[in-house]
Amino acid sequence: MVIFHPPRRRRRSLTAVLLLLTAMSLMLGPVPSSAAQSPWWDPIARPTPDAGINVTGEPFKGTDSRGNVRGFVDAHDHIMSNEGFGGRLICGKPFSEQGVADALKDCPEHYPDGSLAIFDMITKGGDGRHDPTGWPTFKDWPAHDSLTHQQNYYAGIERAWRGGQRVLVNDLVTNGVICSVYFFKDRSCDEMTAIRLEAKKSYEMQDFIDKMYGGPGKGWFRIVTDSAQARQVIEQGKLAVVLGVETSEPFGCKQILDVAQCGKDDIDRGLDELKELGVSSMFLCHKFDNALCGVRYDSGALGTAINVGQFLSTGTYWKTEDCRGPQHDNPIGNAPAPEAEKRLPEGEKVPAYASGAQCNTRGLTDLGAYAVRGMMKRNMMLELDHMSVKGVGQALDILESEKYPGVISSHSWMDLGWTERLYRLGGFAAQYMSQSKGFIGEAARTKDLRDKYHVGYGYGTDMNGVGGWPAPRGADAPAPVTYPFRSVDGGSVIDKQTTGERTWDFNTAGGAHYGMVPDWIQDIRNVGGEEVVQDLFSGAESYLRTWANTEKYRPGKNLASGATASASSSEWWNPFESFAPGKAVDGDTGTRWASEWNDDQWLRIDLGSVKPVRRVTLDWEAAYAKSYRVELSDDGTDWRTAWSTDSGDGGLDTARFAETRARYVRVKGLERGTRWGYSLREVGIHAD
């Protein structure tokens, strides 16, 4: 056999040609007809420079064999809080066309060493000093205990989505009082102005991500305004982003010296505007007592600082009383907050509080009750967290009276004693993102209720929410997170996240930013929370069910409305105001029936014909019954007891019993709860 060997010179020339062609192809790019399609989950381009994602594999799509969506839900996050509080409380932005170096900048006053990081001093302690440099070193921030630096950079949220999260509630947040007393700001403190801006920026972030993926609708970050839309997004494997609102004085509803600074028209206009912005859930109060409700206190130095802020804005401090039931608000304590207390007028001091009196004297006001009903009318979900236990109890009374399912506890700021009432209505609960062992322990306290009501679980990261996040357990801690690891669904491989010169290891960094959410979930699994993780993985489905049932809600027919009413007696002391029996069935909570001042009194309602009755609601005025019965009759003569109590405490009561046919319903007072008679603003009678 003859073997031909070409001259060496020709071989070198061919090599040079191949190198030249390769270089040209890299410069010119692939010919469109032969271009390989990028996976749908990878962007066409990212801003430069940018943070790493460090997750490989296709994000899962679709539902399980029973048609349930799969995935985690973060029920409480604040992507745009840097735009609230006057614009200088949270440093850095969640996205920028110029990339991470522009987005993650410290506030101007934090340079050169953090000496003027006043809010850092108040919330974290110490002197506020830190290295303000972000990109590329990120030496001191973001960090699990730094409450003033951006933790919601879009790439971190993308990492959480790639790790299995399918719902994110983006609470538009601000606080006019904190803004007004904080030293640095570059904009108005008006809360609704901030909420509008944060909504606008949220849609801009959606556009920013869409652009990275090739155009409108192509990105993974999808703002949704109804549950069906959310399901469609999740079934495509993308992240459904829900807009909520958490603010201290919604619609201008602050109080000054306990006098409301808003009215019903303000509430209606405000709720209508929020619906127009795409908001689906909201809080009625946050941090400060307002014209709608009292709050569940903050503790320690932060609590003292917030109490100072409330006084400067409203002229009132928090007021406490002994709790009326097993539920209680957070203990205030008497910890000093020197930087905040310097703002008080000379001679003014924050009051000391008795350790045993842990409940706010303020609950849900009449305007607050009107706002709750306004949210029900608009099929919005009510957030109970931050509301005082008195307020939560009153809000649940209203929701139960109408069988309204739209109720949420999103980040452990509701006393766990209310959990069963929340689940019984069809509501959803999530737990604050805390260290794994503590998170597993708190989840265990409500596990039996989740099983009883067949619901999943959620977490509330509260990133950029001034709360603090899981501290590192340490590189030598038992059962550490080992990298890389697989996502809960098994489809993605998650490695350590890198941004610039910093590589983030959950064992040594903890919950420093949003990108650590998948790592935190893996830490829960390792510590012994596989059952908790599986409950969390069914959380998106449960959240969507609550939302869907809220959208379906329609008020039931009130059989008592306009019915003929009679009573044992009616109080008379004012010739210009009637307290006749018919005032309790006229549909106006501003009128009422009132009896004479003795125990044995009754109110009777004639439904006109025999009808099925299952539920009676009683809206008591200040004069209420401690002991009473709800009685039914076919003829108005022979009465049978359907429901009774000897521990009435006023407010709104709902009596439920097995369906019974009757023409007459009688509320029979046995013992008064006050020195006055009995007084009912409205009675509702329902067949459902």
Side-chain angles (χ1 to χ4, degrees), residues 149-188:
H149 295 97
Q150 180 63 245
Q151 295 174 300
N152 275 314
Y153 187 59
Y154 91 92
I157 298 173
E158 179 178 347
R159 181 177 162 92
W161 158 64
R162 295 279 297 270
Q165 187 171 300
R166 289 297 176 267
V167 177
L168 187 157
V169 179
N170 176 26
D171 283 317
L172 314 176
V173 64
T174 191
N175 188 298
V177 180
I178 291 176
C179 175
S180 66
V181 301
Y182 190 52
F183 303 87
F184 305 104
K185 61 182 71 69
D186 56 23
R187 63 196 64 177
S188 160

Side-chain angles (χ1 to χ4, degrees), residues 232-486:
Q232 291 171 359
V233 164
I234 296 168
E235 288 175 1
Q236 295 168 12
K238 299 182 179 182
L239 179 69
V241 179
V242 184
L243 296 185
V245 165
E246 182 183 42
T247 189
S248 61
E249 296 163 357
F251 329 128
C253 284
K254 70 181 299 179
Q255 56 90 7
I256 298 178
L257 296 176
D258 292 322
V259 177
Q261 305 299 300
C262 70
K264 293 180 178 179
D265 289 345
D266 299 301
I267 293 170
D268 285 329
R269 279 193 300 271
L271 289 173
D272 287 341
E273 181 180 5
L274 292 183
K275 286 290 287 184
E276 189 68 25
L277 288 173
V279 171
S280 299
S281 64
M282 73 171 293
F283 295 74
L284 291 184
C285 49
H286 174 236
K287 301 299 182 186
F288 301 102
D289 298 331
N290 62 22
L292 305 178
C293 50
V295 293
R296 197 173 193 215
Y297 314 121
D298 280 82
S299 300
L302 180 59
T304 300
I306 291 174
N307 206 3
V308 168
Q310 171 162 312
F311 175 81
L312 294 174
S313 177
T314 70
T316 64
Y317 292 106
W318 289 330
K319 299 174 184 176
T320 65
E321 64 182 6
D322 291 338
C323 300
R324 302 180 182 182
Q327 293 81 18
H328 58 81
D329 293 320
N330 295 321
I332 299 175
N334 297 295
E339 290 296 329
E341 291 175 272
K342 289 176 184 176
R343 303 297 301 273
L344 290 171
E346 187 176 351
E348 186 67 44
K349 291 184 179 180
V350 177
Y353 294 94
S355 60
Q358 286 188 216
C359 281
N360 196 334
T361 60
R362 295 179 172 98
L364 197 67
T365 67
D366 288 344
L367 280 176
Y370 183 83
V372 171
R373 295 185 183 280
M375 292 181 67
M376 294 165 62
K377 180 180 177 181
R378 294 163 178 83
N379 301 93
M380 298 174 72
M381 293 180 284
L382 173 67
E383 291 266 12
L384 296 181
D385 289 5
H386 289 297
M387 194 182 291
S388 68
V389 293
K390 181 184 286 188
V392 171
Q394 293 166 326
L396 288 172
D397 287 344
I398 294 173
L399 301 175
E400 289 169 342
S401 74
E402 299 291 340
K403 300 176 69 174
Y404 189 78
V407 56
I408 304 287
S409 172
S410 61
H411 66 331
S412 300
W413 270 79
M414 179 191 77
D415 190 291
L416 289 182
W418 299 122
T419 305
E420 183 155 21
R421 289 181 71 179
L422 177 144
Y423 281 152
R424 189 185 298 125
L425 280 165
F428 181 79
Q431 184 180 327
Y432 191 88
M433 181 185 181
S434 57
Q435 279 198 306
S436 300
K437 186 176 180 180
F439 190 92
I440 293 167
E442 184 175 330
R445 293 172 62 188
T446 54
K447 173 62 176 172
D448 288 345
L449 288 176
R450 290 198 298 281
D451 291 344
K452 177 180 178 179
Y453 291 96
H454 307 289
V455 294
Y457 205 34
Y459 50 80
T461 62
D462 200 20
M463 292 285 181
N464 289 357
V466 195
W469 298 273
R473 293 200 296 122
D476 299 327
V481 176
T482 57
Y483 295 89
F485 60 87
R486 284 199 172 271

Side-chain angles (χ1 to χ4, degrees), residues 471-483 496 504-510 516 519 523 526:
R473 293 200 296 122
D476 299 327
V481 176
T482 57
Y483 295 89
K496 294 179 182 179
W504 305 86
D505 182 329
F506 187 81
N507 302 299
T508 55
M516 294 290 99
D519 312 58
D523 195 54
N526 292 353

Side-chain angles (χ1 to χ4, degrees), residues 477-498:
V481 176
T482 57
Y483 295 89
F485 60 87
R486 284 199 172 271
S487 59
V488 173
D489 64 284
S492 296
V493 176
I494 301 168
D495 208 341
K496 294 179 182 179
Q497 195 270 329
T498 298

Side-chain angles (χ1 to χ4, degrees), residues 548-570:
N549 289 333
T550 303
E551 293 167 328
K552 294 174 186 174
Y553 166 78
R554 299 293 181 272
K557 183 179 180 181
N558 181 5
L559 303 176
S561 181
T564 300
S566 56
S568 55
S569 66
S570 295

Side-chain angles (χ1 to χ4, degrees), residues 638-650:
D638 295 323
W639 296 92
R640 53 194 183 274
T641 299
W643 186 90
S644 66
T645 183
D646 58 5
S647 57
D649 58 0

